[in-house]
C-alpha cells in the first residue's frame, strides 16, 4: 500500500511538472515514469503513459529514446494496455521518427512494437504477384500457402482479428468497412511501414499516415515511374480524380490521397486480402457469386458515371474482412481504376500477367481501343477464377482454345459457360456491349445460387 | 400554308420528320429526367438535356405548325420562330456538352489546363445568346430578312461546332468509352452535326442552292437527328433500369 501511495504521489508530481513545462522535466523523472508504467495501480500507469505523451509532443526525440525500454514491458499482460498507450502517444507525435527508431532496433523488438501500434496490419506482408516466367504451370495469381489471396499473415494478433478461414465464412456481412478520411499531404508525409511490391514501373508500400482527427491510419501507397513519352502526369491525375468520383460505392476501394510530384503516386485504404481464386479453390460458389455480384454492381455504378476500369484482373479485387463479423464473407472492393492501360502504353506491366488482360490490351492492332467492353472481358476473367479457382487461360494458351468449366460448376450453373464465353470473346462485338447487359445475364445464369 | 421550298410529297416527309423528332425529343426528355431523379451521374447534366429536348419539341411543333399553315401568324413569323427555336435547340445541346466538359469529376474548372476557362466560356455564350435574342426581336417585329437568315445559318454552324469541340474533347480525355457518358457524347455529336448542317443548308438557299434540294436535305438531317436521339433514349432507359 505504501508503495502504491508513493507511486501515486510521484505520478501526480511528474505529471504536474510535465504539464507545466515538459522541456525542463529531468531525466530522473522520466526514468521514474518508466518505472511507474509497471505500477500496480492502473491510474498511475495511465498517468505515466500521459507523461510520455506530453513529453513526446514537446520533444519527440527525448521520448523516442525510451521506446525500446517501453517495448520491453509489452509482454506483461497486466500493464500491456498502458504500455501500448504510451507507445501510441509517442508514435502519434512523430510517426516518421518512431519508424526510424524502430528500424534501429533488433527485428524482434521492432516487430512487437509495430504489432502493438498497428495490430494485425503490422504483421502482414503482401506476396508479389508472380509473372508468367515464375508461374509457368498456370496457377492463379497468389500463393496457395498464404492465409488468403496475395497476402500472408501471421502472429497471434492476426488471429485475433482474422480468425475466419474461407470455409468458415458462411454469409454476406451486414456491416460495411469504414471509409478512411481523405487527406491532402505531400509525397513525403507518409511513413513507410513495409514494402509490398517493386518492379520497373510500380512500387507499392504499406504506409501509416495521420488522419485529420489526429489518429494514425494504414494505407497502401503506390508510386509509378511515368513513361518517358506522353503526358502521363496529367492523364494520371484525371484518372485518379475519376476514381475518386465513384469511390463512395461500397465495392470500390476509396482513394485517400494522390499527387504527381515528384512522381505520380496514389494512396488508398489498406486492405489485406486480394484476388478471388481462393473462393473457387475452396469450392465456395455461393460466396463467389455474391462476390462477383458486388463487383458487377461496382462496374455498373462506375459506368453509369462515365468511369471505366480498363484493366480489371483478379488482382484488382481486394476483399475486406468485417472485424465484427468474422464468419461473414469478405466484402470485395475494386481497386486500380483507370491507370493500368495508361501504364501499359509503353511497356508490359510485370505485376499484371498478360493472360489476364483483354486482347485490346495486349495487341494494339485489330481488337480496338480499351473501353467499357474491356471491363466485360475483365469481369469474365475474374468470374472464371472466382468460380473455378484458376485462370481461364494458361500462359501458353489463348482464348481460342476454349474454356474448360468443371462439371460441378456446370451442373450448378448450366448457363455460366455461355456467359463466360461471351464475356471472354476475343472480338469486342461478340461480348456483352454494356456492363448492365452483362450483369443481367450473370444474374440470370446464377439465380439458383443460395447466398 | 407550306414553306415555299417544301412542295408536294416533301411536305408530308418534312411533317413526319418533325413528328418523329418530337417523339424522339419527348422520349429522351423522359429518360433524361429519370436519370436525373436516380442521380445516375454525379454531374448535373441531365437537367440541361431535359431543357434542350424540351426546346427540340418546341422546334418540332413550330416546324409542323408551319407546314400545316396558320391564320394566327404570318408565314415569315412562323419560319422565323422555327429557325430561332432550331438555333436554341443547337445552343442548349452545345451548352450541355460544355457543362459536361467542365463538370466531369477530374476537371478543375478554374484551372488553366483548358484553353477556355469555364467563366470565359459562359461569358462568350451569354454574348451569343444576346445576339440570338436580338434576332428573335427582329423576326417578331419586322419578319425574316435575308440578313437575319444569314446570321441564323452562321450561328447554327458556330454553335454546333462549339458543342462538338467540347464533346470531342471530353471523349478524348475521359476514357469513358462504352459508358452512358460516351453514348451521350457520341449521339450529341451526331445530332449537333445534323442540326448544324440543316442550319447551314437553310442559309445555303441564300447563296443560290436549289431550294428543293435544300428542303430535301434538311428533312433527311431532321430524320437522322431523331434517329440518333431515339438510340440515345434507349441507352438512357437501360441506364435507368440498371440503377433501380
Amino acid at each position: 500500500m505504501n508503495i502504491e501511495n508513493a507511486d501515486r504521489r510521484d505520478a501526480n508530481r511528474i505529471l504536474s511538472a510535465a504539464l507545466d513545462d515538459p522541456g525542463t522535466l529531468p531525466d530522473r523523472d522520466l526514468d521514474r515514469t518508466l518505472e511507474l508504467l509497471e505500477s500496480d495501480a492502473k491510474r498511475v500507469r495511465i498517468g505515466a503513459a500521459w507523461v510520455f505523451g506530453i513529453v513526446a509532443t514537446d520533444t519527440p526525440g527525448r521520448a523516442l529514446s525510451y521506446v525500446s525500454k517501453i517495448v520491453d514491458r509489452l509482454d506483461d499482460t497486466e500493464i500491456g494496455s498502458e504500455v501500448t498507450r504510451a507507445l501510441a502517444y509517442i508514435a502519434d507525435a512523430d510517426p516518421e521518427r518512431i519508424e526510424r527508431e524502430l528500424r534501429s532496433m533488433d527485428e524482434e523488438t521492432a516487430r512487437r512494437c509495430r504489432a502493438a501500434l498497428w495490430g494485425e496490419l503490422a504483421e502482414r506482408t503482401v506476396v508479389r504477384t508472380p509473372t508468367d516466367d515464375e508461374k509457368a504451370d498456370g496457377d492463379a495469381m497468389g500463393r496457395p500457402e498464404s492465409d488468403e489471396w496475395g497476402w500472408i499473415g501471421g502472429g497471434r494478433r492476426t488471429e485475433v482479428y482474422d480468425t475466419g478461414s474461407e470455409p468458415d465464412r458462411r454469409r454476406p456481412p451486414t456491416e460495411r468497412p469504414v471509409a478512411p478520411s481523405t487527406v491532402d499531404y505531400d509525397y513525403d508525409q507518409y511513413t513507410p511501414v513495409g514494402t509490398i511490391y517493386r518492379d520497373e514501373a510500380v512500387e507499392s508500400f504499406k504506409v501509416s499516415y495521420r488522419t485529420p482527427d489526429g489518429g494514425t491510419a494504414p494505407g497502401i501507397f503506390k508510386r509509378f515511374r511515368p513513361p518517358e513519352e506522353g503526358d502521363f502526369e496529367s492523364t494520371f491525375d484525371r484518372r485518379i480524380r475519376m476514381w475518386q468520383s465513384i469511390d463512395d460505392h461500397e465495392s470500390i476501394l476509396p482513394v485517400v490521397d494522390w499527387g504527381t510530384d515528384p512522381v505520380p503516386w496514389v494512396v488508398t485504404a489498406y486492405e489485406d486480402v486480394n484476388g478471388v481464386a481462393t473462393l473457387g479453390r475452396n469450392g465456395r460458389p455461393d460466396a463467389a457469386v455474391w462476390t462477383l455480384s458486388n463487383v458487377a454492381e461496382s462496374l455498373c455504378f462506375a459506368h453509369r458515371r462515365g468511369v471505366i476500369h480498363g484493366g480489371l484482373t483478379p488482382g484488382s479485387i481486394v476483399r475486406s474482412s468485417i472485424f465484427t463479423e468474422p464468419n461473414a464473407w469478405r466484402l470485395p472492393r475494386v481497386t486500380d481504376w483507370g491507370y493500368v492501360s495508361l501504364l501499359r502504353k509503353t511497356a508490359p506491366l510485370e505485376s499484371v500477367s498478360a493472360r489476364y488482360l483483354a486482347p485490346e490490351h495486349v495487341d494494339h492492332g485489330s481488337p480496338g481501343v480499351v473501353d467499357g467492353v474491356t471491363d466485360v472481358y475483365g469481369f469474365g476473367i475474374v468470374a472464371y477464377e472466382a468460380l473455378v479457382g484458376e485462370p481461364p487461360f494458361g500462359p501458353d494458351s489463348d482464348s481460342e482454345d476454349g474454356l474448360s468449366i468443371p462439371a460441378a460448376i456446370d451442373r450448378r450453373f448450366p448457363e455460366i459457360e455461355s456467359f463466360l464465353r461471351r464475356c471472354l470473346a476475343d472480338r469486342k462485338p461478340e461480348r456483352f456491349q454494356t456492363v448492365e447487359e452483362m450483369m443481367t445475364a450473370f444474374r440470370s445464369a446464377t439465380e439458383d445460387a443460395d447466398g | 400554308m407550306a414553306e415555299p421550298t417544301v412542295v408536294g410529297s416533301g411536305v408530308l416527309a418534312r411533317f413526319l420528320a418533325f413528328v418523329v423528332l418530337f417523339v424522339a425529343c419527348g422520349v429522351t426528355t423522359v429518360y433524361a429526367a429519370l436519370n436525373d431523379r436516380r442521380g445516375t451521374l454525379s454531374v448535373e447534366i441531365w437537367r440541361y438535356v431535359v431543357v434542350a429536348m424540351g426546346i427540340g419539341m418546341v422546334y418540332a411543333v413550330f416546324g409542323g405548325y408551319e407546314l400545316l399553315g396558320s391564320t394566327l401568324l404570318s408565314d415569315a413569323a412562323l419560319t422565323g420562330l422555327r429557325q430561332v427555336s432550331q438555333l436554341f435547340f443547337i445552343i442548349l445541346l452545345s451548352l450541355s456538352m460544355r457543362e459536361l466538359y467542365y463538370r466531369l469529376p477530374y476537371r478543375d474548372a478554374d484551372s488553366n489546363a483548358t484553353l477556355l476557362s469555364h467563366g470565359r466560356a459562359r461569358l462568350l455564350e451569354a454574348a451569343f445568346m444576346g445576339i440570338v435574342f436580338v434576332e428573335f426581336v427582329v423576326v417578331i417585329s419586322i419578319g425574316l430578312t435575308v440578313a437575319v437568315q444569314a446570321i441564323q445559318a452562321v450561328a447554327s454552324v458556330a454553335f454546333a461546332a462549339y458543342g462538338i469541340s467540347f464533346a470531342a474533347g471530353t471523349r478524348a480525355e475521359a476514357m469513358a468509352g462504352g459508358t452512358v457518358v460516351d453514348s451521350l457524347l457520341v449521339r450529341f455529336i451526331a445530332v449537333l452535326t445534323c442540326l448544324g448542317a440543316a442550319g447551314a443548308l437553310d442559309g445555303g438557299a441564300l447563296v443560290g442552292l436549289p431550294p428543293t434540294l435544300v428542303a430535301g436535305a434538311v428533312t433527311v438531317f431532321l430524320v437522322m437527328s431523331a434517329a440518333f436521339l431515339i438510340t440515345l433514349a434507349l441507352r438512357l432507359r437501360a441506364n435507368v433500369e440498371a440503377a433501380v
Side-chain angles (χ1 to χ4, degrees), chain A residues 231-288:
Chain A
D231 187 14
F232 181 88
E233 279 83 357
S234 64
T235 312
F236 174 83
D237 185 67
R238 278 202 301 275
R239 299 279 164 86
I240 302 295
R241 284 177 193 270
M242 295 294 272
W243 177 3
Q244 198 177 39
S245 74
I246 54 166
D247 71 359
D248 52 337
H249 190 275
E250 64 183 27
S251 289
I252 294 174
L253 192 67
V255 175
V256 171
D257 192 11
W258 82 96
T260 54
D261 182 36
V263 292
W265 55 273
V266 61
V267 179
T268 63
Y270 185 86
E271 289 300 345
D272 52 359
V273 175
N274 78 333
V276 290
T278 318
L279 298 169
R281 221 180 273 141
N282 291 342
R284 307 290 304 187
D286 44 359

Side-chain angles (χ1 to χ4, degrees), chain A residues 239 241-242 245 304-305 372 436, chain B residues 39-40 105-106 175 177 239 242:
Chain A
R239 299 279 164 86
R241 284 177 193 270
M242 295 294 272
S245 74
R304 283 199 300 274
R305 282 156 179 75
E436 288 90 355
Chain B
T40 57
Y106 61 77
M175 193 183 150
N239 207 45

Side-chain angles (χ1 to χ4, degrees), chain B residues 129-160:
Chain B
M129 296 280 266
I131 294 170
V132 174
F133 181 74
V134 169
E135 182 200 0
F136 182 73
V137 172
V138 169
V139 168
I140 292 298
S141 53
I142 61 170
L144 193 65
T145 65
V146 170
V148 170
Q149 276 185 294
I151 291 170
Q152 165 89 24
V154 171
S156 295
V157 174
F159 265 109

Side-chain angles (χ1 to χ4, degrees), chain A residues 144-160:
Chain A
E145 65 271 29
S146 66
D147 67 335
E148 292 304 342
W149 258 81
W151 296 87
I152 53 171
R156 58 191 167 79
R157 284 186 182 272
T158 301
E159 290 163 12
V160 168

